[in-house]
Each structure stands twice: as C-alpha cells, then as structure tokens.
Amino acid sequence: MSAGSHARPSGSEDPARRRPRWWRLGTPLVVLACGALFVVSATSSEGTDLRPGRYTDLAALVDDEAESYDALRDRVANLNAEVTELSSSLSDDEVNRYQRRIERLRDPAGLEPRRGPGVTIVLSDAPEDVINSTTGDVNPLLVHQQDIQAVVNALWKGGASAVTIQGQRVVSTTGIRCEGNSVQLQGVPYPQPYVIQAVGIQAALLTALEGDSYLQAYREDAADPEISVGWALTLENSVTAPGYDGLLDLNYATPLRS
C-alpha cells in the first residue's frame, strides 16, 4: 500500500453496496402496486375519463346528457321491438289476448303519435339585463317546474289529446323537476326556453289556459317590465306529438313493515 493512502477499517463495506435490504424489496412492490392501480382504473372507467374536465357551459352539459339519453332510449326501443316480435310469434291464446288488450291501450297511454290543430306555448326566463339589474328576489324572473306543470295541467283540463314538452311526449309517468338552472324531464335536463305543445280543440284549450288562476298571475308577471318573464302563445294549424318511446316501468317507494 502506497504512502499517504488510507486503509479502510477492518470489516467495513463499500458505500455503493450499503443500501438497505428493504430498498431492494420495496421497489418491486411499488411497481406492482402501480400496475394494480392502472388495472383498477381501467376497469372502473369502462373506457371513459375518470377525471373529466369541469363543465363550464350549461348547454354543453345538456347536450351531453341528451346524447346519453338518446342512446339509452334507442336501446330500449330495440329491446321492446324484440319483445314484441317474440310475443307475437307465440301461438298461445292467453298471450294473444293480452297482446290485443295492449294494442287497444297504446293510444290512450300516449304510445301512438297524434297530429292535429293545437297550440304552442313558450315559457322563458326574463331577459338577462332585467335579471342582472334586479335587487330583489330573482325567482319571479325565472321559469320553474310549477310553471310548466300549470300549463300542462290546464291543457289537459282543456281536453288536449296529446301534450309535448321540448318535443317529448308527456305521459302519466312523466316527471318534471328543477335541476339547477334547467328543468329535468324524464331524466334529461333541458335549458330554457321551454316549448309546450298540445293537440286539441283550440277554443277549449284557450279557455282552460285563460281561466287558470295560476297562469293569470304568471301572465301578469310577464306583462310587468320589472319581471318580464317570458310567455308566448301561438295557434297552430298542425301540431305533431310523437309517441312516447321511453321506459314504461313506474318505480315507487314502499313503506317498511314493522
């Protein structure tokens, strides 16, 4: 050993080899854990983004939800067609009797399209400048679910044979409820303005609309410049109401037995 060199103490190890044993074991475990997380994420997402961008545009959100609803509705329509085809192929007297009864009830249930003279009513929020300038309660300036329901109920009272909202047929299981700045109809959110159409005798429909006390108050708000909530009524020579093609099952809660 040359002079000036320093002898390594007896029994010491090279620092490069002095890594803890847990390091050699931990690295593969971390890699395996990361791989497992990737697999779980891919399975849970089912091909979608688990961290989608935040929706800043209400119209974009509504369009996205509407597209999903349309895809599910098409699937339901195809499955219903398969069920009908399979049922009609059976040569069972009891099944055939029920099929004839179902066919008779399709039109009263709103499953068949209707066309004829009628009315169109458009409800809309007050203009943006009126909403921004108000210092009081903003609710009278907006369209709510009870406003839409009041119009629909008045149309039924006036003998309407078919009613649509945003082009969707209204049936006995149709639900209307507020969802943020939009109204949700049959599970799909729609922004204003809300277009309501009815097929029926125009004179009877107008009488029912004009005689409804709730709608009288709404029209007074529409005529008030400080509120200016939207109301527009048009007589139509021909209104087309498509048949309802959504889910027919009615879900409801049942009380628990003690």
Side-chain angles (χ1 to χ4, degrees), residues 2-217:
S2 61
S5 65
H6 299 282
R8 184 177 293 123
S10 175
S12 64
E13 295 180 309
D14 188 340
R17 300 180 180 178
R18 206 178 295 164
R19 292 180 178 175
R21 184 172 300 175
W22 60 266
W23 176 267
R24 296 194 298 271
L25 296 176
T27 300
L29 292 177
V30 171
V31 173
L32 288 174
C34 291
L37 288 175
F38 287 138
V39 172
V40 171
S41 298
T43 303
S44 301
S45 66
E46 295 182 349
T48 61
D49 187 0
L50 287 176
R51 297 192 303 167
R54 182 175 298 174
Y55 284 101
T56 56
D57 186 2
L58 177 60
L61 174 60
V62 170
D63 290 342
D64 184 69
E65 292 293 332
E67 288 178 3
S68 299
Y69 175 78
D70 289 339
L72 291 175
R73 187 174 59 183
D74 291 342
R75 183 180 179 188
V76 169
N78 292 333
L79 292 175
N80 285 337
E82 291 183 17
V83 171
T84 302
E85 183 179 357
L86 291 173
S87 300
S88 60
S89 64
L90 295 175
S91 58
D92 185 88
D93 293 339
E94 186 173 1
V95 172
N96 293 334
R97 183 168 65 253
Y98 279 113
Q99 283 296 119
R100 290 191 296 269
R101 183 180 179 186
I102 290 173
E103 289 301 318
R104 290 194 300 269
L105 294 175
R106 284 184 60 85
D107 184 59
L111 304 182
E112 295 294 334
R114 281 291 187 107
R115 178 180 296 176
V119 298
T120 296
I121 299 166
V122 181
L123 306 181
S124 58
D125 295 345
E128 190 172 346
D129 59 337
V130 176
I131 295 177
N132 293 335
S133 63
T134 185
T135 57
D137 186 7
V138 74
N139 281 316
L141 283 65
L142 307 177
V143 178
H144 300 282
Q145 68 181 52
Q146 58 266 31
D147 304 327
I148 300 174
Q149 289 169 340
V151 173
V152 172
N153 290 337
L155 293 172
W156 288 132
K157 186 177 180 180
S161 59
V163 177
T164 65
I165 304 175
Q166 306 295 73
Q168 301 295 322
R169 184 73 174 266
V170 177
V171 294
S172 59
T173 57
T174 298
I176 306 170
R177 66 188 183 91
C178 285
E179 187 72 24
N181 293 330
S182 64
V183 168
Q184 193 174 91
L185 174 67
Q186 294 168 175
V188 181
Y190 293 95
Q192 60 91 34
Y194 303 106
V195 180
I196 306 169
Q197 291 189 304
V199 178
I201 301 174
Q202 293 175 336
L205 297 176
L206 290 176
T207 299
L209 291 169
E210 293 173 357
D212 187 274
S213 59
Y214 184 96
L215 295 179
Q216 288 177 359

